């Protein structure tokens, strides 16, 4: 405060600090909130047991077991920090495969994450490794990008997303080094508001019979304890049979699929594919139990392509 004699001179208020802008949603997570409403924590057909424990020296052990019908699989993962700021995770699976991952975040520059993944081949197969992949993930205020390359499979992937106010848009592409050609591409966008989210996606696996796949989803937050989600999918399949001489080629055949669901506190989604209410009671803070019966309605009411 400045004074002139006995009088205090007015001063202009200091500008408030501008809040830091969050990085755009990663491309793979565009529309994820809509899909999680019907899939996350409400799995059917698979029984899973997972326990996490952290010892005083910072190592986290995660044993996991899955049972689907008569098939059983399990794994034991150990994750620990290493000097320099990186983290190492090693996973041993019941199939005899050992997977390892090294992740270094914000070591070279802020927002940059480097990841190395490798995996041994299944017992009986030759070779030291069956997979070796390097991934670069970089996030700044206006852009999120990711690139990866698997040396053994010869596959490269790149994706990027950006944000303008409430709109997020992005694209991705997969490249096969062995074929020297593009194998898959996709584009997606979403609009986010406090009450609802609208997302759409277009993807195509080149050389596959499904052709272009269009996906649209809608998420609406009715109350803090109830959310509603709708999902639609269509595949444009081209007829590869050449038309007769003088005849026009037929238009692509669209195969639509619709899925609508909702969830509220203590109740799992009720959807067209799993049309049965489920409950997920919570006991102690460390324990969650759930039950999710499923009913396959498409077999009772099959859909036909249009």
């Amino acid at each position: 405060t400045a004074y002139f004699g006995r009088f205090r001179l007015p001063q202009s208020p200091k500008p408030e600090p501008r809040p830091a802008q969050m990085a755009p949603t990663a491309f793979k997570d565009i529309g994820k909130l809509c899909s999680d409403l019907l899939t996350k924590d409400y799995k059917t057909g698979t029984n899973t047991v997972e326990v996490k424990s952290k010892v005083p020296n910072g190592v986290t052990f995660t044993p996991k077991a899955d049972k689907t019908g008569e098939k059983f699989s399990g794994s034991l993962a150990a994750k620990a920090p290493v000097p320099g700021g990186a983290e190492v995770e090693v996973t041993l699976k019941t199939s005899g495969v050992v997977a390892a991952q090294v992740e270094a975040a914000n070591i070279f520059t802020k927002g940059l994450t480097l990841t190395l993944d490798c995996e041994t081949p299944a017992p009986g197969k030759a070779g030291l490794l069956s997979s070796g992949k390097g991934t670069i993930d970089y996030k700044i205020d206006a852009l999120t990008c990711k690139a990866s390359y698997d040396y053994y499979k010869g596959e490269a992937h790149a994706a990027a997303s950006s944000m303008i106010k409430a709109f997020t848009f992005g694209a991705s592409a997969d490249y096969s080094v062995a074929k020297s050609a593009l194998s898959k591409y996709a584009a997606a966008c979403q609009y986010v508001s406090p009450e609802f989210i609208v997302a759409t996606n277009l993807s195509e696996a080149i050389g596959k019979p499904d052709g272009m796949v269009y996906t649209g989803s809608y998420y609406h937050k009715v109350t803090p304890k109830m959310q509603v989600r709708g999902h639609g999918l269509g595949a444009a399949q081209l007829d590869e049979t050449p038309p007769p001489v003088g005849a026009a080629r037929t238009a692509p055949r669209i195969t639509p699929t619709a899925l609508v669901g909702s969830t509220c506190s203590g109740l799992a989604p009720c959807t067209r594919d799993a049309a049965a209410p489920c409950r997920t009671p919570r006991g102690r803070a460390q324990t969650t139990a759930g039950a999710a019966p499923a009913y396959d309605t498409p077999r009772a009411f099959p859909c036909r392509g249009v």
Side-chain angles (χ1 to χ4, degrees):
T1 304
Y3 290 88
F4 181 76
R6 299 174 58 185
F7 302 97
R8 188 174 67 175
L9 299 179
Q11 290 183 339
S12 58
K14 294 182 179 181
E16 296 182 358
R18 184 179 179 182
Q21 184 180 358
M22 296 180 61
T25 303
F27 176 78
K28 65 181 181 63
D29 294 332
I30 294 179
K32 186 175 183 294
L33 183 61
C34 301
S35 60
D36 282 352
L37 180 61
L38 295 179
T39 58
K40 189 177 181 181
D41 295 334
Y42 303 111
K43 299 178 181 179
T44 59
T46 302
N47 300 321
T48 302
V49 177
E50 180 177 323
V51 180
K52 280 190 176 183
S53 58
K54 190 172 184 180
V55 296
N57 61 359
V59 181
T60 302
F61 293 95
T62 307
K64 183 180 179 182
D66 296 314
K67 185 177 184 299
T68 304
E70 299 297 329
K71 186 179 179 181
F72 175 83
S73 62
S75 63
L76 174 62
K79 187 174 183 179
V82 296
E87 289 185 335
V88 177
E89 183 176 6
V90 179
T91 304
L92 174 62
K93 304 178 183 179
T94 53
S95 60
V97 175
V98 178
Q101 181 185 84
V102 180
E103 182 178 300
N106 302 321
I107 294 181
F108 299 98
T109 184
K110 185 178 179 181
L112 179 65
T113 301
L114 303 179
T115 308
L116 295 176
D117 297 274
C118 61
E119 189 173 281
T120 61
K125 294 186 178 181
L128 178 63
L129 296 174
S130 62
S131 175
K133 184 173 68 172
T135 305
I136 300 176
D137 198 339
Y138 185 57
K139 297 180 181 180
I140 56 177
D141 292 345
L143 179 67
T144 297
C145 54
K146 182 178 182 179
S148 64
Y149 177 70
D150 194 318
Y151 175 80
Y152 288 87
K153 297 180 180 179
E155 297 176 353
H157 170 80
S161 62
S162 185
M163 179 174 58
I164 299 178
K165 294 184 178 181
F167 284 95
T168 303
F169 53 91
S172 70
D174 292 352
Y175 183 81
S176 175
V177 177
K179 299 179 181 179
S180 298
L182 194 67
S183 59
K184 185 178 180 180
Y185 67 89
C189 65
Q190 73 175 4
Y191 176 81
V192 180
S193 75
E195 293 81 17
F196 66 90
I197 298 176
V198 180
T200 182
N201 180 283
L202 164 66
S203 62
E204 180 181 7
I206 299 176
K208 302 292 183 176
D210 289 341
M212 293 185 180
V213 178
Y214 307 87
T215 304
S217 57
Y218 176 79
Y219 169 88
H220 190 90
K221 186 176 181 180
V222 182
T223 65
K225 293 186 178 181
M226 182 175 183
Q227 299 87 39
V228 179
R229 177 241 184 182
H231 177 81
L233 182 144
Q237 300 178 347
L238 292 174
D239 188 0
E240 300 296 339
T241 305
V245 178
R249 181 177 291 272
T250 58
R253 183 182 61 184
I254 307 297
T255 304
T257 300
L259 184 62
V260 179
S262 65
T263 183
C264 58
S265 179
L267 289 178
C270 178
T271 70
R272 185 182 183 277
D273 290 334
C278 316
R279 293 198 64 85
T280 305
R282 293 184 179 271
R284 300 177 59 186
Q286 298 86 356
T287 306
T288 300
Y295 177 69
D296 192 356
T297 56
R299 293 186 179 181
F301 305 98
C303 297
R304 297 183 179 273
V306 178

